[in-house]
Amino acid sequence: MYTDSLKQGANNAPHKSLYHALGLTEEEIRRPLVGIVSSYNEIVPGHLNVDKIVEAVKMGVAMAGGTPIVFPAIAVCDGIAMGHVGMKYSLVTRDLIADSTEAMVMAHGFDALVMVPNCDKNVPGLLMAAARLNLPTVFVSGGPMLAGRIDGKKTSLSSIFEAVGAFNAGKITEEKLCEYEQKTCPTCGSCSGMYTANSMNCLTEAIGMGLRGNGTIHAVYSSRIELAKHAGMAVMELLRKNIRARDIMTKDAIENALVVDMALGCSTNSMLHLPAIAHECGFDIDLDIANKISERTPNLCHLAPAGRVYMEDLNEAGGVYAVMKELTKKDLLHLDCMTVTGRTIGENIADATNLDREVIRPIEEPYSTTGGIAVLKGNLAPEGSVVKRSAVAPEMLVHEGPAKVFDCEEDAQAAINAGKIVAGDVVVIRYEGPKGGPGMREMLNPTSSIMGMGLGNSVALITDGRFSGATRGACVGHITPEAASGGLIALVRDGDRIRIDIPGHRIDLLISEQEIEERKKDFVLPKKELSGYLKRYAEQVSGGAYGAIINK
């Protein structure tokens, strides 16, 4: 154990005196010290119950012979941060979380770790930290929220955002909007669709870093407490066997995550986070592999916002393991990857069963023969862009229309609210990338307004920013190079024709090379006055197509 070097001999008496200052007994000090990274706070609904999860983890660690010690990690609620300057501080926390966790662990020399994240950037940030630290590590999240119910139908966060668009278009009353406000999010937990938090928590199971059910057992279920106790016990077994994070997070494991991502129809944010996690593991993946995997991986699930089923339905249908079991029918997974159970993926899913063939389509009857996410390239995005193909209406898979160009999200939102966006348009929102935003804001407000106004089947939106997992429609994000790095998106003008071909993996500005060169001569990059963390972030961050990695 690493902490033995801090506990034994006369020279370490000062360290032991400080352990005693914590109230630790000699018996506790002699045991392995297990760091429990708690993301509990009182502002993120997905983290409101994390204190209970942490207490259960502590009990599991103690029952298995370890000494649990809790320290915190920050977390941002993307929903609360949405649509204002707060969203600039969402993606950037991923690296703050990884850095601060690394600092705490290295400073205090823990023997093993249990990570307790839940929402959005908290999960990938802690996965990045786990890869850096390479200790025996288990993930157990706070769990998803139950769906709301309005007019006999289930709802989730995307429902309320789209209801705002419907209200602004005069399609629903203020009383109905208030009903959505009251009933959409009925419990604590990560919002109930296949949004970023639930996507990443499900992918911890696919990677092998979370126990069965980590992505789908609900926050308010007692079985979530049981899962947390088992996570505490599991980390002690990993410590005894010396199975470390990078023994699990291999290149094959990340590829498994991409396959499951395509089958589940996960958030496009996974295309930011998986490259960043891989980078911390010591290897790089590029977006080209995503299309290769998508072409051979059928999309088996249409959870909200793509469909009308929710995390509770996926859980009852057998969860992530049942999806993975379907994928084995076409030999799409690396089954020999090690996991936190001490067994392989193949051993873990051997007894998994698909209990609802509507929620998890059999692999012979998929929603589509290709995966839920597509990477597009072309002159507008020579290094790549991302779209959630499974949430695009069939008639919008290929779309050509005139550009309506905006240099920030607020201007685009104002135009949408004013009725200035019409059928056929391609809304362009730029200077919202990792560097240009900075922080690569999510565009859930404008995309939801477009859907709520009934324009989802006729209007596309493209950006060098990104989208919430709650976004649906022909929405292409992560355009790289971004406008702030001199990408072609900076030169688009109102009325230019843009063509989006999702099956063909293309996105192009339909003007001549001569015209592009002429526009480059007149281009002047707008300057933003930045300070604090955002200034440092903008100076260091890579493009969206590369995972928005710091110092890449």
Side-chain angles (χ1 to χ4, degrees), residues 105-123:
V105 173
M106 295 305 295
H108 300 105
F110 293 102
D111 296 303
L113 299 167
V114 179
M115 307 290 201
V116 191
N118 206 25
C119 286
D120 301 311
K121 312 310 165 286
N122 200 245
V123 185

Side-chain angles (χ1 to χ4, degrees), residues 431 490-491 493 514-526:
Y431 297 107
L491 304 181
R493 295 177 182 172
Q514 181 179 354
E515 175 64 18
I516 290 172
E517 291 305 314
E518 286 299 317
R519 292 186 188 183
K520 284 181 179 179
K521 294 176 184 177
D522 299 328
F523 175 68
V524 177
L525 180 67

